Amino acid sequence: MRGLVIKNTGSWYTVKTDDGKTIDSKIKGNFRLKGIRSTNPVAVGDHVVITPNQEGTAFITEIEDRRNYIIRKSPNLSKQSHIIAANIDQAFLVVTTNYPETSTTFIDRFLASAEAYRIPVTLIFNKHDLLEEDELRYQHAVMNLYDTIGYQCVEIQASAEADNEFSVEKLKPLLAGKVTLLSGNSGVGKSTIINALLPHVNLRTAEISDVHNTGMHTTTFSEMLELPIGGYLIDTPGIKGFGTFDIEREELTSYFREIFKFSKDCRFSNCTHTHEPGCAVRRAVEDHYIAESRYNSYLSMLEDKDENKYREAF
């Protein structure tokens, strides 16, 4: 029996079968031993084959080939990865300029990982209503930076009424008919966005911690939520850091679009853009054609070969 994994709670997976039923399923015992270096060999969005049993549950016996997936380092096992979701059409990265502040390093790490797995990303700037004038100016400057690189940016207020120009209504045309991963730091308003788009889901939301200006985790597992406009929204736990996995140093340049563009003019074809003479990338940074924040993110990812680097909250 074929099905789609729509929820992962750790040891159990909810599978929606081709005839529309849902069935709680477990991985067959020896499944984990097939060389999958991941804390979760099955991910939300996977198409699987299941064998129902007499208890009314099922065993997952096969995972069909993935079209793509997005992955991060497991926060507790340095040699392993955690697959966030599979077979997705696009990702929405929800960011906030403040309350809490999303760092540009975090945004850049997410974008580079998505580039590596060929997943288009739209940046959703939430909590427009909470920002002071200078914070708004900064937000628009950041939006302009990513827009110039080629990433779509949308400014919203997730709590706004439907007729407000910043309401989540402006997201609906972008979501229709697509499988969209919704990601971001804890506290940026992912649950509020989902509640506005799908009021019947009624996800729990949490206050921001005043002491650290950080969010609390309210989602503890990944889940695919069906949209009335067609497609799915994949809700994921808030992530503090985004340690990248299995990206080779030589490949990294191509996951930063503007760095890749200038790298073609470097004197050496294997230039790392750190110290080499005739480096067109470093010249472009000096001439402000490449943002310093983006270049610094690139450098921080180059240093990731230090296995413990990703543990820090970027």
Side-chain angles (χ1 to χ4, degrees):
M1 191 183 281
R2 284 184 78 254
L4 173 68
V5 177
I6 60 168
K7 191 172 181 179
N8 165 17
T9 57
S11 51
W12 285 94
Y13 301 89
T14 304
V15 176
K16 184 180 179 183
T17 61
D18 286 352
D19 59 4
K21 297 194 178 95
T22 56
I23 184 164
D24 288 332
S25 306
K26 275 200 156 180
I27 299 171
K28 199 101 171 95
N30 63 355
F31 205 78
R32 294 178 181 276
L33 307 176
K34 292 187 178 173
I36 302 173
R37 290 176 64 209
S38 166
T39 54
N40 60 329
V42 178
V44 165
D46 269 329
H47 295 283
V48 294
V49 176
I50 59 170
T51 305
N53 56 37
Q54 292 169 334
E55 285 82 49
T57 58
F59 283 117
I60 295 171
T61 55
E62 189 184 328
I63 305 176
E64 297 184 5
D65 287 344
R66 293 171 174 140
R67 179 162 52 90
N68 63 23
Y69 53 88
I70 193 159
I71 185 175
R72 68 186 293 254
K73 276 190 174 175
S74 167
N76 44 18
L77 294 164
S78 63
K79 295 289 186 189
Q80 289 196 303
S81 60
H82 180 81
I83 302 164
I84 298 172
N87 302 313
I88 57 184
D89 296 318
Q90 61 181 354
F92 278 12
L93 182 64
V94 184
V95 301
T96 41
T97 303
N98 205 346
Y99 319 110
E101 181 185 351
T102 305
S103 73
T104 52
T105 312
F106 177 85
I107 295 172
D108 295 335
R109 284 171 167 266
F110 188 93
L111 292 176
S113 295
E115 291 279 342
Y117 299 105
R118 296 181 185 84
I119 295 163
V121 180
T122 297
L123 297 175
I124 309 298
F125 287 79
N126 190 24
K127 306 194 184 181
H128 170 269
D129 54 313
L130 299 181
L131 302 180
E132 304 282 343
E133 204 172 313
D134 57 337
E135 291 171 330
L136 264 180
R137 268 198 300 274
Y138 171 72
Q139 175 157 297
H140 292 152
V142 174
M143 289 173 70
N144 184 57
L145 162 64
Y146 289 105
D147 187 57
T148 305
I149 297 166
Y151 292 103
Q152 183 174 16
C153 298
V154 182
E155 199 171 20
I156 65 162
Q157 176 193 337
S159 58
E161 297 296 323
D163 59 354
N164 186 302
E165 64 170 314
F166 294 106
S167 84
V168 297
E169 292 297 310
K170 68 200 299 187
L171 301 180
K172 287 183 177 177
L174 307 176
L175 292 166
K178 292 187 175 177
V179 176
T180 304
L181 172 74
L182 194 67
S183 197
N185 289 146
S186 301
V188 293
K190 295 185 301 296
S191 297
T192 309
I193 290 170
I194 291 169
N195 286 338
L197 289 166
L198 298 164
H200 64 281
V201 173
N202 200 21
L203 293 179
R204 195 160 60 89
T205 59
E207 296 299 314
I208 299 299
S209 157
D210 286 336
V211 182
H212 300 296
N213 194 17
T214 56
M216 313 295 185
H217 292 285
T218 52
T219 303
T220 53
F221 49 80
S222 299
E223 183 173 10
M224 287 184 89
L225 304 165
E226 198 161 359
L227 293 165
I229 49 179
Y232 285 92
L233 200 54
I234 302 180
D235 183 26
T236 57
I239 43 185
K240 284 196 171 72
F242 204 88
T244 46
F245 194 80
D246 279 351
I247 291 180
E248 295 305 319
R249 287 176 69 108
E250 301 75 37
E251 298 170 2
L252 186 59
T253 298
S254 59
Y255 303 143
F256 283 76
R257 294 176 183 179
E258 72 281 38
I259 291 177
F260 182 64
K261 188 177 101 178
F262 282 98
S263 70
K264 294 169 183 172
D265 297 325
C266 289
R267 185 185 302 172
F268 301 109
S269 59
N270 62 346
C271 186
T272 63
H273 321 304
T274 54
H275 63 280
E276 296 87 348
C279 174
V281 168
R282 284 192 299 141
R283 190 166 61 245
V285 175
E286 286 165 17
D287 295 342
H288 307 296
Y289 290 114
I290 293 174
E292 208 166 309
S293 63
R294 291 277 291 169
Y295 179 64
N296 288 338
S297 295
Y298 165 79
L299 293 180
S300 86
M301 290 180 75
L302 267 189
E303 292 165 17
D304 269 3
K305 291 301 159 189
D306 169 5
E307 277 296 343
N308 290 318
K309 179 85 175 168
Y310 76 94
R311 290 174 187 270
E312 299 170 22
F314 286 102

